[in-house]
Amino acid sequence: MKKLALLNLILILILSGISGCSSVPITGRRQLNLVSDDEVLSLSLQEYNDYIKTAKKSTDKTATAMVTSVGRKIADAVETYYKYVGMESLLSGYSWEFNLIDDPQVNAFCMPGGKIVVYTGILPLTQNEAGLAVVLGHEVAHAVAKHANERMSQQMLAQYGAAGLDAVLSKSGSAAQTVGQTVYGLGAQYGVMLPFNRKQESEADHLGLIFMAIAGYSPEVAVPFWERMSQQGGSVPEFMSTHPSDNTRIADIQKELPEAMEYYNSIWGSNKNTTTPAKNTNTNNQWHF
């Protein structure tokens, strides 16, 4: 049934002349994308603003400044990458914001367009700037990989079914509004939005390593950070709830470290060298070293 639904969806997209797929930069993974960036940003920004008005911001000036500083470095690294590969238009409408919320939960989350929140409860596990870069690199990766667009598209397909999407796509704004109320509603699971799936979370781990490396943070600190996370007693922290098992996740990160370390040890480790290389001519949008 799932295969039939997917075939129907592909046929609908072809007949309607709508491109329903896009690719995630660096990983190249194809993703379903039925909702425009403008729709996603509009829906999520309202929910984010409503949330941040009532959230209790941390009064710890040092920790708050660290969250802002590390987040900004990683965002700058991402913008540098996108400009280098000629895809800066994909970040149109992004306005980066990093907030530290006084909450004991071991958690952090990302909203589309670069709105990222870190809870104070995760700071004892990050321990320092590099550990925090693991978390913020992961969340920035969710934003730039447009996992929220994909999440909404998947939700739309599940809600309306492939057979009804030809009509729904003709008025995608109203459909996105309906789905957005489920995905971004403050009453949704975890209070902000439904969690990403495991494939998206693993991809955010992968991209996060690269983004923190470009920002000048050694991605090698990711393994001990996730080991500390895995040792948390009691219920699974929300930040880890939709991930593969701890052992699988850490093993995957270890496999991805050599690639990330190439970025860190190259000219792109921005804390070590600020020279900009020549324009990338690789059609696969990969870095040259």
Side-chain angles (χ1 to χ4, degrees):
M1 291 297 292
K2 289 183 178 180
K3 289 183 178 180
L4 180 59
L6 180 59
L7 289 173
N8 287 339
L9 172 60
I10 293 172
L11 179 60
I12 289 167
L13 293 173
I14 293 173
L15 293 177
S16 59
I18 297 174
S19 176
C21 292
S22 58
S23 295
V24 179
I26 299 179
T27 69
R29 182 178 66 85
R30 299 289 287 173
Q31 61 183 176
L32 182 66
N33 193 348
L34 304 175
V35 189
S36 73
D37 289 348
D38 288 343
E39 289 170 334
V40 172
L41 292 176
S42 176
L43 289 167
S44 61
L45 181 60
Q46 182 59 54
E47 296 293 347
Y48 175 79
N49 288 337
D50 289 344
Y51 166 80
I52 213 68
K53 287 176 184 176
T54 60
K56 182 182 178 182
K57 292 187 179 181
S58 173
T59 58
D60 186 332
K61 294 182 179 179
T62 300
T64 298
M66 180 173 65
V67 168
T68 302
S69 175
V70 175
R72 188 64 254 181
K73 286 179 183 177
I74 293 175
D76 287 345
V78 170
E79 289 174 353
T80 298
Y81 168 75
Y82 273 64
K83 183 176 182 180
Y84 180 62
V85 297
M87 297 189 299
E88 58 264 46
S89 62
L90 295 180
L91 297 179
S92 176
Y94 279 58
S95 178
W96 298 102
E97 186 175 318
F98 302 89
N99 280 298
L100 179 63
I101 300 302
D102 188 1
D103 191 307
Q105 295 182 68
V106 179
N107 203 12
F109 69 82
C110 160
M111 295 291 275
K115 307 301 184 185
I116 293 170
V117 166
V118 175
Y119 291 155
T120 53
I122 204 170
L123 295 184
L125 295 174
T126 59
Q127 296 186 348
N128 51 39
E129 281 196 26
L132 181 59
V134 177
V135 173
L136 289 175
H138 176 98
E139 297 302 335
V140 166
H142 276 311
V144 301
K146 302 191 176 181
H147 287 158
N149 301 48
E150 184 177 21
R151 184 78 174 86
M152 287 185 67
S153 298
Q154 292 167 341
Q155 193 83 359
M156 189 178 291
L157 177 58
Q159 183 167 329
Y160 293 101
L165 273 178
D166 53 346
V168 170
L169 291 174
S170 66
K171 49 180 180 179
S172 60
S174 59
Q177 183 74 36
T178 300
V179 173
Q181 290 171 354
T182 300
V183 176
Y184 296 115
L186 293 180
Q189 189 176 0
Y190 298 154
V192 180
M193 63 183 295
L194 293 173
F196 295 112
N197 63 38
R198 290 186 176 184
K199 181 180 294 184
Q200 293 166 330
E201 292 289 357
S202 295
E203 186 168 62
D205 282 346
H206 181 186
L207 294 175
L209 292 175
I210 292 172
F211 294 153
M212 68 179 291
I214 298 171
Y217 297 102
S218 173
E220 290 178 321
V221 304
V223 171
F225 166 74
W226 289 116
E227 287 175 343
R228 292 193 295 273
M229 287 288 287
S230 70
Q231 293 167 3
Q232 292 300 291
S235 60
V236 177
E238 292 173 8
F239 194 62
M240 303 177 68
S241 61
T242 57
H243 281 278
S245 67
D246 298 335
N247 291 338
T248 299
R249 178 183 206 165
I250 291 171
D252 287 343
I253 289 175
Q254 288 173 328
K255 291 177 184 177
E256 293 159 356
L257 273 178
E259 176 191 8
M261 288 302 296
E262 285 186 355
Y263 289 85
Y264 179 69
N265 291 323
S266 76
I267 199 171
W268 294 101
S270 61
N271 284 355
K272 298 186 288 299
N273 195 320
T274 57
T275 305
T276 302
K279 180 76 172 101
N280 182 17
T281 57
N282 185 356
T283 57
N284 292 324
N285 290 330
Q286 299 295 316
W287 298 86
H288 288 170
F289 301 103

